[in-house]
Amino acid sequence: MGAFLLRRLLQSLGLLLIVSVIGFAILHLAPGGPLSQFAAGGEMTQADLDRIAEQLGLNRPLPIQYLEWLWRMVRGDWGVSFRDQQPVLHIIGSHIGATLELMLTSTLLAMLIGAWVGILGAIKRYSLFDGLATIGAMIALSIPTFWFGLVVIYVFSVGLGWLPAGNRYTIGDGSFLNQLHHLIGPCIVLALVSTAVWSRYMRSSMLEVINQDYVRTARAKGLPERTILLRHSFRNALLPMITITGLHVPTLLSGALVTETVFTWPGMGRLFLDSISYRDYPVVMGILMFTAVLVLLGSLIADLLYGVADPRIARG
């Protein structure tokens, strides 16, 4: 297990390095550059722009800028925002809580509904419920997240007035119930695709398990169907879902970016788009690396849990 974990860690570090190189190059080679925000007003002279470039280190060769940024990041200094003049880690820390809240609640909702639909679809294979669940999953996977978010706002906020149209809480009322009320809309939107994915994978996994010999043997012994389902079928069907959960982190993050923008949710997704529009490269690179760490950490945890559940993988 130690060698397995070490190998995964080394692979993750290599991937992080590749992500940092590609991200840094794309940002700095894109048209405009970080100085465009200062030159937009037309009030600064070229001498002023050159002085700002010298202060920010933007006049050095690109490889030197990358190495200096990488060395500072390794030491824990992720830079200072061009826009707010605050440390990047502080800015990310003030927004990560909202994103994690949205991701965790939507994941929990998707897992509960998706697992229930998948199990019931496997037990009642080719039934009316299974057919409707399959059609519903295909529709959910086809609906754009931003469009579904706008529909939820139009119907339940503008039309019926049941849900808030955006933000994390009402100004002046930060109570738990108020925050929960604001969370319902974006949570449902973000959980839509995840629910469809979970239901399909759970159905396939359950169909594979319930046809195994040990399940038929348990039925032959006269065990109650509920016991067979919960103690034998469901627990073994969850093993492949461990990997799915880890690999589903990128989908959640990309969905959170769109959902946070539609619902003006103050998370990392909205911060990422705002930072790109402002050419705030330190914040953009910080969010990019932080997101890459979350994705690789999710995959690493999934591999580790799967290795514990199935020792053959750890020895492979």
Side-chain angles (χ1 to χ4, degrees), residues 25 38 138 246 280:
F38 300 102
M138 295 302 103
D280 198 347

Side-chain angles (χ1 to χ4, degrees), residues 15 17 31 43 50 59 83 102-103 112 126 151 159 161 167 203 205 222 225 246 272 285 289 301 303 310 312:
L15 287 173
L17 184 62
E43 300 176 356
D50 293 339
N59 58 348
R83 177 174 56 176
L102 181 58
M103 287 178 58
L112 292 176
Y126 301 138
V151 170
N167 293 320
R203 179 183 181 274
S205 184
E225 192 65 26
F272 184 74
M285 282 301 301
M289 295 306 298
I301 293 176
D303 289 337
D310 190 351
R312 294 173 298 176

Side-chain angles (χ1 to χ4, degrees), residues 215-229:
V215 176
R216 288 195 290 266
T217 302
R219 287 198 180 98
K221 290 181 178 180
L223 291 178
E225 192 65 26
R226 182 182 181 88
T227 302
I228 296 174
L229 178 63

